[in-house]
Amino acid sequence: MTTINDVAQAAGVSPATVSRVLNGGRVTAERAERVRRAAAELGFAPNRVARSLRMQRSSVIGLIIPDIENPFFTALARGVEDAAQRTSYSVVLCNTDGNLDKERRYLDIAIAERMAGVIVAAASRGRTDVSALQSRGIPVVAVDRRPRGAGVDAVLVDNEEGSAAATAHLLARGYRRIACITGPQGASTAEERLAGYRSALQEFLAGDQGDPAAAAEGVDLLRDYTRHADFKVEGGYTAMADLLALPQPPDAVFAANNLMAVGALQAVREAGLEPPEIGVLSFGEVPWAPLTRPGLTTVQVPSYDLGWTAAGLLLDRIAGKEQPLRTVVLRSSLQVRQTTAGPVRAEGAA
């Protein structure tokens, strides 16, 4: 009869390590995989352990996100956890910093630990690859960002609509040289928010000039007001400082996430300017936005609902519910405050 010592010897670990693995204790992913493989190969306790090793998943869900310091992802993670706890699942949080290598390691860990399912905000639309999980039957739900070509359920925000509404608001307030600081090239959210910004400019120019061709040319002339950054405070600061150094700097900026808006505000104030003299608008709320003077105008995103909904879709898949792939798109809303009051008003004109 195979014993725990036999499994330990085959796996090259101590009996205590085998016990921890079989009882859900914490060990490295590599050791856990060796123990599980050895136990399955030796047929250790076939009525209980070996059968579970071959057939069952853990009661753990992986949540892979790019930046836990961003309040948006903090609220999203809370939504996932609250939904998971209702069905006795636990959540393991994995922070990638938008780094593909880190993301791949976490995806490998999800496989090694036999996680019940994974929710992922992709580091790269074109390069994030969840096929290894899918091939092993581990359900995957994309949240906020969908990997290109991945046949998975997804919960997203209507980024283009929200960004177009934000840009149209700036135009309606009288701003005309509107810059856009968007995220890294290849990030779906960055591409979609930039597209919304451009579509609003083109629609405005078409209506203003009555000539769609001239509108397209006008949008192209505004290309010097577009900057890509890293979705972080430092990136927003650097991009805004560069824009303010132009011979004809922008009179407003649409920052495509909340942290870059913080950096942009810092650069604006260091340049001796103050909103709404130069308009500042953020895609994504920050907790202190209503408390600043002047208050920061934001596109509010239902981040908690994103997490809650994504967890619900994943739990349905884990439960084995047969249904077509689903994409849930949540809408944002514009919260207007004083940083976009308009350049004319900032100058004291009636």
Side-chain angles (χ1 to χ4, degrees):
M1 178 178 178
T2 303
T3 68
I4 196 170
N5 291 326
D6 296 325
V7 176
Q9 184 175 1
V13 299
S14 70
T17 298
V18 175
S19 178
R20 281 197 297 273
V21 172
L22 299 182
N23 289 287
R26 297 184 64 180
V27 300
T28 65
E30 186 268 338
R31 287 189 177 184
E33 181 63 17
R34 279 158 48 194
V35 169
R36 293 188 180 110
R37 189 183 306 115
E41 290 174 354
L42 295 173
F44 179 69
N47 291 332
R48 181 176 67 88
V49 178
R51 180 164 143 250
S52 71
L53 290 171
R54 289 192 301 268
M55 299 180 63
Q56 295 184 12
R57 303 286 180 201
S58 71
S59 58
V60 173
I61 291 171
L63 173 59
I64 302 176
I65 58 175
D67 187 5
I68 190 56
E69 292 183 340
N70 188 329
F72 167 81
F73 287 111
T74 305
L76 187 152
R78 183 56 187 264
V80 171
E81 183 183 37
D82 285 354
Q85 287 289 321
R86 290 166 61 93
T87 52
S88 300
Y89 279 87
S90 299
V91 179
V92 172
L93 181 62
C94 307
N95 182 69
T96 68
D97 293 315
N99 182 289
L100 278 166
D101 289 334
K102 287 185 70 174
E103 182 181 74
R104 292 188 191 102
R105 287 197 294 272
Y106 282 129
L107 293 171
D108 289 343
I109 289 171
I111 295 170
E113 293 296 327
R114 287 178 166 79
M115 289 185 182
V118 172
I119 298 171
V120 58
S124 169
R125 182 173 185 173
R127 298 170 63 191
T128 292
D129 185 3
V130 298
S131 60
L133 279 73
Q134 293 174 295
S135 68
R136 290 165 173 80
I138 299 177
V140 179
V141 172
V143 66
D144 186 49
R145 311 169 181 183
R146 177 170 24 209
R148 183 177 285 122
V152 298
D153 295 317
V155 185
L156 310 171
V157 172
D158 192 339
N159 288 299
E160 287 197 37
E161 188 275 337
S163 298
T167 307
H169 166 74
L170 289 169
L171 289 163
R173 287 298 175 94
Y175 298 103
R176 290 296 177 266
R177 300 188 308 277
I178 302 171
C180 176
I181 302 175
T182 193
Q185 292 180 336
S188 61
T189 46
E191 294 170 357
E192 291 162 6
R193 291 168 194 174
L194 180 60
Y197 157 82
R198 286 175 169 165
S199 69
L201 290 178
Q202 187 161 351
E203 182 176 346
F204 175 81
L205 289 166
D208 192 45
Q209 300 177 23
D211 182 356
E217 181 180 352
V219 171
D220 187 58
L221 291 174
L222 294 173
R223 63 188 181 278
D224 285 341
Y225 291 127
T226 298
R227 296 292 185 274
H228 288 273
D230 58 3
F231 277 145
K232 295 183 182 295
V233 173
E234 295 80 3
Y237 175 86
T238 301
M240 193 68 218
D242 181 61
L243 288 163
L244 291 172
L246 293 173
Q248 190 174 30
D251 61 3
V253 60
F254 166 56
N257 92 326
N258 49 5
L259 296 185
M260 293 193 302
V262 174
L265 267 173
Q266 181 182 352
V268 165
R269 286 176 169 148
E270 286 186 8
L273 303 171
E274 188 71 25
E277 177 185 4
I278 177 169
V280 180
L281 197 156
S282 165
F283 195 106
E285 186 78 347
V286 287
W288 43 259
L291 306 177
T292 62
R293 293 294 179 269
L296 177 63
T297 297
T298 63
V299 176
Q300 292 188 326
V301 179
S303 48
Y304 179 92
D305 294 340
L306 280 168
W308 176 277
T309 306
L313 294 183
L314 186 66
L315 291 167
D316 283 350
R317 291 295 179 190
I318 292 171
K321 294 184 179 180
E322 294 292 335
Q323 51 200 352
L325 290 176
R326 292 171 291 175
T327 296
V328 179
V329 180
L330 304 182
R331 299 195 66 182
S332 58
S333 60
L334 189 65
Q335 179 62 56
V336 178
R337 300 188 181 98
Q338 292 76 33
T339 56
T340 57
V344 173
R345 192 176 306 171
E347 294 166 3

